[in-house]
């Protein structure tokens, strides 16, 4: 099913899709993840320059294209269908979201650099002792004169390897799960006191565990006033979650498409696998899950500007539905490929593994189901 | 009839595991996430069991079995699962051995069974071919008689542990007359046979367990044939009952326990640990109940069979269908419990020879690779779709 797009939107989608088809196919992606860095600076430069994508979500006055979540979604869905590993989500959506809301003096310049492709961001939020609750922050930032000193650990930070800056969530006051007292800092990725253990995610992209030991930053590194960051974090992470669902839709499109192609060509018992009714029904169920995922994602994106409770409910609903669909479509894609699905030789395995990752990023099905339940059944929601 | 003191038996098994499966080996096994342990560990464990006289609990006593009844076997398996013993390759003990017992000559029994029991003979399975997976009977690897040998040509795929094995059992085509099933022959060959070569296939977990094997005028003695020429399909069908039958519940239950342990060490969102989350506990309970049903059916089947008998293909298919689904669900729960560390590729620490620490907590090393590898259990040994077809036809008369 096609979704109506404006001319500008169609142009963005077609140029991204064309670029990926011509320059970022499965073989190229494999070359990138097999390289030492695990991501590609030349492609990033092309996203910035040739395609001009990195300004998609910024105002024209700031040098951007004046788009928003809808444009990010088009780009990320295409990125999902090619398993692009470069840190678009953390740079353009997450850092972009924080910088647009930021009161910091450095924000306009960082936005300009992000659009130019020279500033690349990783989001250092998750911690080894926290699960998905965004208020659970044990990393501390202590105010010392004109500086803050950051100590703590961040886990499974995606894209830190190539990042020039880290967006760090740290606690300036309060207990470990206190909603108050959370602050956001933009930190030079090469600051003294930062140590990384770099590794790969199961689908091959770069990730790191990061330790901050006495990392000193000036007070101007604060993106919003000290201790007040949680509502902004919740909004930006909701937006990122909805856009991750858009990426997931691209992943599912390939899982379904590759399965259909494989079962149409592979023969057993003298006929194509796709002629077996049980497999036909399975692929129909995959398609239905995919279409609903598209729709519930679009719905969440439309509600990103609604009041926080409604926005959060819509985003959690999308993440639950998309997470379940990723699981179903991914597992069935492997099953229907038989032995070939179990190898690293076809692309389908990498799409399956990316599906597993997305299912967990920014909270699993269980997390968002609980969050949705709490929001949907809150006394105010019932009274309204 | 003398009654067996099961409590005493359980203590005996526990004592054995406590003394014969030392912490150093247990730690090594934490680095194993494949279908089977690497042979260095797996064969060590088989030798250890053999030395104790427990090398083949499912074999008849005359060939070296333990003579245990169903309850004892269950106790033994549960205790091994609880102790997380290495999962050694089953192709010898549980697949080719029953076939040799039923169809082999005396000379074949005398040569192969003791070697399999001691772990000296390490078998791999050469059934599937690139063009013949679910439709196994369409296989094309050919064997043509020349003197006292068959000359074998063709290729097999998904040959698990072929790079470790010293023997392989093969299905080959000896005739193209009649129905495809009627021209198949079952052969055993040393992997050192000239003309046999092995190409690695890397799994989605990043591990090397699978291979493609090639046969280029490989000379296999006719004396290594099991059963008659062109009667290999009956042999293969008998073998597949053993591949499919067996117990799924203990390993599924083992993984469920592992998920609980992970949850007890992982933070919760609104509670101290994930295990404190009532939703997680409820989910675990639901899965546990499904496993109780599976275990009860497995127990029912085991008690109904005398030692060494085959379970019959309908029952084997039903047990495999539900049992593999439970194994997958349990491994999925382990991954869920891990939280964000489920994203980390741990392949570098998943070798016996690796000393690279896992990314994140120690218990994060295995679950994801295990989960990925277990996607195969509804594909190999006859896929779930094929099992459904078998049960529909054989048990319900549907065509
Ligand atoms: C990890 C792993 C280890 C293995 N180890 C060994 C080994 O050691 N030795 C060995 O010989 N083989 C081994 N196998 C091979 C295994 O037996 C085959 O993968 C299996 O028989 C399926 O065949 P295939 O992979 O060719 O899939 P296909 O037969 O191509 O099947 C692809 C999909 O189509 C479905 N399908 C096929 N036919 C039908 C039908 N009639 N109706 C409905 N659906 C259908 C299947 O269920 C599956 O979902 C292994 C496989 C794996 C994945």
């Amino acid at each position: 099913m096609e979704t109506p797009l404006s001319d500008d939107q169609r142009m963005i989608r077609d140029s991204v899709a064309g670029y990926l088809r011509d320059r970022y196919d499965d073989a190229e992606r494999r070359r990138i993840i097999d390289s030492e860095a695990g991501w590609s600076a030349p492609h990033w430069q092309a996203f910035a320059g040739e395609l001009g994508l990195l300004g998609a979500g910024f105002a024209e006055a700031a040098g951007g294209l004046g788009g928003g979540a809808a444009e990010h979604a088009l780009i990320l869905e295409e990125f999902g269908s090619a398993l692009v590993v470069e840190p678009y989500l953390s740079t353009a959506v997450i850092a972009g979201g924080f910088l647009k809301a930021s009161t910091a003096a450095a924000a306009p310049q960082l936005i300009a650099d992000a659009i130019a492709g020279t500033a690349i961001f990783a989001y250092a939020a998750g911690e080894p002792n926290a699960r998905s609750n965004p208020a659970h922050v044990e990393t501390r930032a202590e105010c010392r004169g004109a500086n803050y000193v950051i100590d703590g650990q961040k886990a499974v930070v995606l894209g830190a390897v190539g990042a020039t800056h880290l967006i760090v969530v740290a606690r300036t006051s309060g207990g470990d799960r206190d909603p108050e007292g959370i602050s956001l800092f933009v930190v030079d990725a090469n600051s003294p006191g930062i140590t990384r253990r770099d590794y790969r995610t199961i689908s091959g992209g770069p990730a790191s565990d990061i330790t901050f030991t006495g990392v000193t930053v000036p007070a101007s590194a604060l993106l919003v006033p000290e201790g007040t960051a949680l509502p902004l974090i919740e909004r930006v992470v909701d937006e990122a979650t909805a856009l991750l669902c858009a990426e997931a839709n691209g992943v599912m499109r390939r899982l379904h498409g590759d399965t259909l192609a494989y079962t149409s060509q592979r023969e057993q018992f003298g006929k194509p696998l796709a002629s077996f009714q049980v497999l036909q029904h399975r692929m129909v169920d995959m398609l239905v899950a995919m279409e609903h995922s598209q729709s519930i994602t679009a719905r969440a994106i439309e509600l990103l500007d609604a009041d926080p409770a409604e926005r959060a409910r819509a985003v959690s609903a999308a993440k639950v539905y998309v997470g379940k669909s990723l699981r179903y479509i991914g597992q069935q894609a492997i099953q229907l490929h038989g032995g070939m699905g179990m190898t690293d030789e076809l692309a389908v395995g990498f799409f399956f593994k990316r599906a597993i990752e997305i299912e967990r990023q920014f909270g699993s099905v269980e997390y968002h189901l609980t969050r949705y339940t709490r929001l949907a059944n809150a006394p105010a929601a019932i009274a309204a | 009839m003398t009654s067996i003191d099961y409590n005493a038996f359980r203590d005996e098994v526990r004592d054995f595991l406590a003394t014969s499966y030392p912490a150093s080996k247990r730690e090594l096994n934490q680095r194993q996430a494949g279908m089977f342990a690497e042979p260095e560990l797996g064969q060590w464990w088989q030798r250890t069991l053999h030395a104790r006289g427990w090398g083949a609990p499912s074999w008849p006593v005359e060939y070296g079995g333990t003579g245990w009844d169903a309850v004892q076997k269950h106790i033994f398996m549960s205790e091994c699962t609880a102790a997380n013993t290495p999962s050694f390759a089953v192709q010898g003990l549980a697949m080719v051995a029953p076939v040799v017992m039923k169809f082999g000559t005396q000379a074949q029994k005398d040569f192969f069974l003791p070697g399999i029991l001691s772990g000296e003979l390490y078998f791999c399975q050469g059934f599937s071919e690139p063009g013949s997976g679910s439709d196994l009977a369409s296989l094309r690897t050919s064997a043509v008689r020349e003197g006292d040998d068959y000359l074998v040509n063709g290729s097999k795929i998904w040959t698990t542990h072929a790079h470790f094995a010293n023997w392989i059992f093969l299905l080959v085509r000896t005739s193209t007359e009649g129905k495809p099933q009627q021209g198949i022959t079952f052969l055993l060959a040393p992997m050192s046979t000239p003309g046999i070569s092995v190409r690695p296939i890397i799994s989605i977990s990043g591990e090397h367990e699978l291979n493609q094997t090639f046969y280029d005028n490989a000379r296999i003695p006719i004396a290594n044939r099991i059963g008659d020429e062109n009667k290999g399909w009956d042999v293969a069908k008998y073998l597949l009952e053993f591949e499919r039958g067996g117990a799924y519940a203990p390993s599924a239950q083992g993984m469920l326990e592992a998920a609980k342990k992970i949850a007890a060490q992982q933070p919760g969102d609104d509670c101290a640990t994930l295990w404190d989350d009532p939703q997680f506990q409820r989910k675990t309970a639901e899965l546990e109940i499904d496993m109780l049903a599976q275990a009860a059916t497995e127990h029912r089947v085991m008690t109904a069979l005398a030692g060494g008998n085959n379970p019959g293909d309908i029952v084997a298919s039903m047990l495999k269908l539900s049992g593999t689904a439970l194994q997958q669900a349990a491994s999925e729960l382990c991954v869920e419990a891990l939280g964000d560390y489920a994203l980390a590729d741990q392949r570098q620490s998943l070798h016996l020879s690796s000393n690279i620490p896992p990314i994140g907590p120690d218990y994060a090393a295995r679950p994801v690779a295990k989960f990925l590898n277990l996607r195969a259990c509804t594909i190999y040994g006859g896929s779930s779709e094929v099992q459904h077809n078998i049960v529909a036809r054989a048990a319900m008369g549907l065509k």
Side-chain angles (χ1 to χ4, degrees):
Chain A
M1 266 184 277
E2 277 284 324
T3 311
L5 298 177
S6 72
D7 288 347
D8 283 351
Q9 289 176 334
R10 183 166 305 106
M11 219 170 68
I12 293 181
R13 190 198 55 192
D14 291 350
S15 67
V16 175
Y19 179 90
L20 297 174
R21 188 182 55 237
D22 298 340
R23 311 250 298 270
Y24 206 113
D25 62 6
D26 293 341
E28 172 65 1
R29 181 196 190 257
R30 198 177 288 247
R31 197 191 59 71
I32 294 170
I33 62 169
D34 286 346
S35 70
E36 207 186 310
W39 72 289
S40 161
H43 282 298
W44 190 256
Q45 284 316 315
F47 296 162
E50 190 181 330
L51 294 172
L53 297 181
L54 300 182
F58 294 106
E60 287 176 39
L65 302 177
E71 284 69 26
H72 286 311
L74 291 171
I75 294 166
L76 277 162
E77 182 172 335
E78 294 309 317
F79 278 10
S81 73
L83 292 185
V84 169
V85 291
E86 284 67 31
Y88 184 88
L89 192 75
S90 60
T91 298
V93 178
I94 300 178
F98 288 139
L99 290 170
K100 281 191 282 187
S102 174
T103 47
Q109 187 57 47
L110 286 171
I111 289 176
D113 293 347
I115 294 172
T118 51
I120 303 176
F121 296 84
Y123 182 44
E127 300 192 356
N129 293 328
R131 203 165 168 85
S132 304
N133 180 351
H136 190 154
V137 180
E138 298 186 10
T139 297
R140 297 267 157 184
E142 205 184 308
C143 185
R144 287 209 202 125
N147 296 327
Y148 286 89
V149 180
I150 304 174
D151 284 282
Q153 282 183 304
K154 296 292 176 181
V156 200
V157 179
L158 301 184
V161 171
T164 56
H165 297 80
L166 304 176
I167 305 276
V168 182
V169 182
R171 182 169 288 291
T172 35
S173 67
D176 288 345
R177 291 181 182 178
D178 197 340
E180 307 292 331
I182 297 172
S183 298
L184 271 171
F185 296 89
V186 58
V187 179
D188 186 320
N190 295 314
S191 304
I194 293 182
T195 50
R196 292 197 322 252
R197 180 181 181 189
D198 295 334
Y199 50 91
R200 296 304 171 84
T201 70
I202 51 176
S203 76
S208 312
D209 281 5
I210 305 181
T211 305
F212 295 80
T213 318
V215 175
T216 305
V217 295
S220 60
L222 265 179
L223 284 170
V224 288
E226 183 190 300
T228 67
L230 189 61
L232 177 63
I233 290 174
E234 288 188 323
R235 175 160 76 69
V236 170
V237 169
D238 268 344
E239 181 174 352
T241 307
L243 292 167
L244 187 67
C245 291
E247 182 185 340
N249 289 323
V251 171
M252 288 189 273
R253 186 161 51 143
R254 270 294 299 272
L255 284 165
H256 184 260
D258 281 16
T259 305
L260 190 57
Y262 183 78
T263 54
S264 301
Q265 153 259 310
R266 164 100 173 151
E267 294 192 357
Q268 286 291 278
F269 304 98
K271 46 190 167 190
L273 294 175
S275 66
F276 295 116
Q277 197 171 46
V278 66
L279 302 189
Q280 292 178 348
H281 288 190
R282 200 83 53 83
M283 286 186 280
V284 169
D285 287 340
M286 290 163 78
L287 182 66
V288 172
M290 203 169 88
E291 289 295 347
H292 288 326
S293 294
Q294 285 271 357
S295 313
I296 202 164
T297 301
R299 178 183 178 275
I301 289 170
E302 274 166 28
L303 288 170
L304 282 175
D305 292 330
D307 76 78
E310 194 179 358
R311 174 200 76 215
R313 208 160 62 210
V315 168
S316 282
K319 189 68 178 17
V320 168
Y321 193 89
V322 167
K324 290 197 319 193
S325 301
L326 283 167
R327 193 180 295 178
Y328 179 70
I329 293 173
Q331 293 180 0
Q332 293 307 325
I334 298 301
Q335 179 70 19
L336 268 54
H337 275 78
M340 284 310 294
M342 289 301 299
T343 73
D344 248 2
E345 298 185 359
L346 294 186
V348 67
F350 290 93
F351 283 90
F352 175 52
K353 288 184 276 190
R354 181 71 191 122
I356 294 169
E357 293 171 8
I358 296 178
E359 204 189 309
R360 274 154 193 86
Q361 276 179 266
F362 303 126
S364 64
V365 169
E366 309 308 319
Y367 170 76
H368 283 284
L369 195 52
T370 304
R371 185 174 184 240
Y372 180 90
T373 308
R374 198 174 48 226
L375 290 164
N377 300 342
I382 293 167
Chain B
M1 210 175 122
T2 54
S3 67
I4 300 164
D5 182 344
Y6 293 119
N7 288 328
F9 178 74
R10 189 182 290 278
D11 289 342
E12 194 184 345
V13 174
R14 283 188 180 166
D15 284 348
F16 166 75
L17 289 171
T19 52
S20 304
Y21 187 34
S24 59
K25 300 284 187 190
R26 286 174 203 237
E27 274 161 32
L28 279 181
N29 200 39
Q30 292 304 322
R31 294 182 176 275
Q32 301 285 284
M35 276 178 289
F36 303 122
E38 291 172 64
E40 187 188 328
L41 182 65
Q43 294 299 86
W44 164 80
W45 183 234
Q46 175 59 18
R47 283 195 305 276
T48 307
L49 289 172
H50 178 52
R52 180 70 173 78
W54 293 351
S58 61
W59 288 14
V61 178
E62 51 176 315
Y63 297 120
T66 51
W68 291 338
D69 70 4
V71 178
Q72 286 174 299
K73 283 183 205 164
H74 182 78
I75 291 172
F76 179 70
M77 217 182 309
S78 312
E79 291 301 324
C80 285
T81 307
N84 200 1
T85 56
S87 61
F88 50 82
V90 295
Q91 291 97 320
L93 274 176
M95 292 193 203
V96 81
V99 152
V100 171
M101 288 175 206
K102 186 168 168 91
F103 298 96
T105 62
Q106 193 57 47
Q108 287 171 334
K109 289 179 193 170
D110 292 344
F111 177 76
F112 288 110
L113 296 178
I116 292 171
L117 190 57
S118 68
E120 231 164 283
L121 301 187
Y122 194 76
F123 267 93
C124 61
Q125 176 185 24
F127 278 16
S128 309
E129 297 183 4
S132 305
S134 298
D135 184 11
L136 183 59
S138 69
L139 63 92
R140 292 212 295 251
T141 295
S142 70
V144 177
R145 275 180 188 248
E146 198 182 274
D148 292 338
D149 302 321
Y150 287 107
L151 272 189
V152 176
N153 280 286
S155 170
K156 297 286 176 184
I157 196 166
W158 317 125
T159 329
T160 307
H161 279 208
H163 55 310
F164 295 129
N166 49 20
W167 278 79
I168 184 166
F169 55 91
L170 287 165
L171 289 182
V172 293
R173 180 152 304 285
T174 36
S175 165
T176 50
E177 310 271 301
K179 280 175 55 178
Q181 287 84 351
Q182 286 163 356
I184 292 172
T185 298
F186 194 103
L187 298 179
L188 308 181
M191 286 301 286
S192 58
T193 307
I196 299 184
S197 57
V198 178
R199 170 184 83 89
I201 297 175
I202 303 305
S203 303
I204 48 175
S205 64
E207 291 164 295
H208 174 201
E209 288 199 280
L210 301 173
N211 304 276
Q212 185 170 5
T213 50
F214 298 92
Y215 307 83
D216 180 15
N217 282 327
R219 210 168 258 287
I220 300 177
I222 293 173
N224 285 356
R225 190 183 70 212
I226 302 285
D228 293 336
E229 189 171 282
N230 295 331
K231 292 281 185 242
W233 190 249
D234 295 335
V235 181
K237 267 180 32 186
Y238 184 75
L239 181 147
L240 284 173
E241 287 172 27
F242 285 91
E243 181 173 359
R244 288 167 193 167
Y248 296 88
S251 96
Q253 285 163 328
M255 284 186 284
L256 188 66
E257 291 309 311
K260 292 183 191 172
K261 279 196 196 131
I262 295 171
Q265 298 172 78
Q266 275 286 307
D269 278 317
D270 303 307
C271 36
T273 74
L274 179 59
W275 183 240
D276 300 321
D277 180 345
Q279 294 304 328
F280 190 85
Q281 291 208 15
R282 209 184 147 93
K283 210 165 158 173
T284 327
E286 200 175 352
L287 202 49
E288 200 164 297
I289 291 165
D290 287 347
M291 288 177 191
L292 287 176
Q294 173 84 17
T297 305
E298 287 175 7
H299 189 73
R300 215 171 105 206
V301 172
M302 264 211 271
T303 18
L305 295 172
N309 274 1
N310 56 326
D313 61 356
I314 299 173
V315 169
S317 290
M318 293 200 298
L319 288 181
K320 182 175 190 280
L321 265 179
S322 50
T324 50
L326 288 174
Q327 289 177 332
Q328 291 181 340
S331 77
E332 197 166 348
L333 199 63
C334 291
V335 173
E336 185 185 320
L338 269 188
D340 282 354
Y341 276 113
L343 268 71
D345 185 341
Q346 306 275 7
R347 73 181 69 181
Q348 289 188 324
S349 54
L350 292 174
H351 298 287
L352 292 180
S353 55
S354 166
N355 51 17
I356 297 172
I359 297 147
D362 281 348
Y363 56 76
R366 285 214 300 185
V368 177
K370 190 94 204 152
F371 166 80
L372 291 171
N373 286 325
L374 269 170
R375 299 317 306 170
C377 72
T378 49
I379 296 172
Y380 59 63
S383 71
S384 290
E385 288 76 15
V386 167
Q387 307 301 341
H388 275 103
N389 288 343
I390 290 172
V391 178
R393 260 184 236 124
M396 302 191 290
L398 302 171
K399 284 270 183 288

